[in-house]
Amino acid sequence: MEWRDEGMLLTVRRLGEGGALLEAFTAAHGRHAGVAPGGGSRRMAPLLQPGAQLDLVWRARLESHTGTYRAELIRSRAAAIMSDGRALAAMQAAAALLRWLPEREPHPALYARTIEMADALGADPDWPRRYAAWELALLAELGFGLDLERCALTGAREDLAWISPRTGRAVTRAAGAPWADRLLPLPPFFLGLPGGDAAEGLRVTGHFLGAHAAAAFGHKGLPPARARLAQIFAAG
């Protein structure tokens, strides 16, 4: 068995004398692991950092085997990410959340969006909101997409201001006013409109990831890396 694909590195674990077990989120083969001989060497270790974009060749005798990777660097994001503590925390959170995806299940649209988000980290001043919007897309890929098209109570499409924490459906400002203390604020940027901040968006996505998606995938709440990211943004 052999295939070639590109992928973003999620985790690296040293194996034996100079080897490494790599887990990558690939364009056509989803979340996929493989052993990289020499991946833990002095030459390769600095290049194989989470967030790196790699050209990968995977080989195994049988498709069910872990197999081996030959990895070549396409793009390193270490400089941009390491220079910004918040960007580093976002990359760590994204890598942890992507590990919720079933192994070897392709998600090409999410992969493209993940690369765009990772390119923005530490480089685009608006990257925090782009990261929060990425989590919104991840929820949809996990089967917990939010319905933000129209009001769940009136069917209206204008002045959507709230989200039901139970159903994930939008509610207009007027219709939701009596239950405002029970609803989540809907960040305007989730609708492609100006306004709202990343912390607001992370509060929404964090609720649905932790309260709905986590249990479905056998997890107890959010990954520690994602919880740290929320704390960083909440602190300003």
Side-chain angles (χ1 to χ4, degrees), residues 136 139 143-153 162-172 182-184 204 207-209 211-213:
L136 193 67
L139 275 166
F144 294 89
L146 308 189
D147 182 358
L148 306 180
E149 293 291 322
R150 65 183 72 216
C151 177
L153 299 177
W162 310 100
I163 302 174
S164 165
R166 185 177 62 85
T167 67
R169 300 184 66 186
V171 182
T172 63
R182 305 180 196 174
L183 300 174
L184 295 168
V204 171
H207 169 77
F208 290 99
L209 286 166
H212 297 269

Side-chain angles (χ1 to χ4, degrees), residues 84-197:
D84 183 334
R86 295 193 309 164
L88 176 60
M91 186 71 257
Q92 292 170 337
L97 289 169
L98 284 168
R99 298 190 74 203
W100 284 13
L101 293 172
E103 278 193 285
R104 305 188 180 194
E105 181 180 284
H107 294 269
L110 181 63
Y111 176 78
R113 185 147 190 171
T114 300
I115 293 301
E116 291 175 1
M117 179 274 293
D119 285 343
L121 292 179
D124 181 346
D126 198 36
W127 74 257
R129 293 200 298 186
R130 293 181 67 170
Y131 174 85
W134 173 83
E135 286 196 350
L136 193 67
L138 175 65
L139 275 166
E141 291 288 330
L142 292 173
F144 294 89
L146 308 189
D147 182 358
L148 306 180
E149 293 291 322
R150 65 183 72 216
C151 177
L153 299 177
T154 68
R157 294 176 178 269
E158 302 298 324
D159 202 28
L160 300 173
W162 310 100
I163 302 174
S164 165
R166 185 177 62 85
T167 67
R169 300 184 66 186
V171 182
T172 63
R173 191 177 312 278
W179 302 279
D181 60 334
R182 305 180 196 174
L183 300 174
L184 295 168
L186 171 54
F189 70 92
F190 275 3
L191 302 174
L193 302 172
D197 59 34

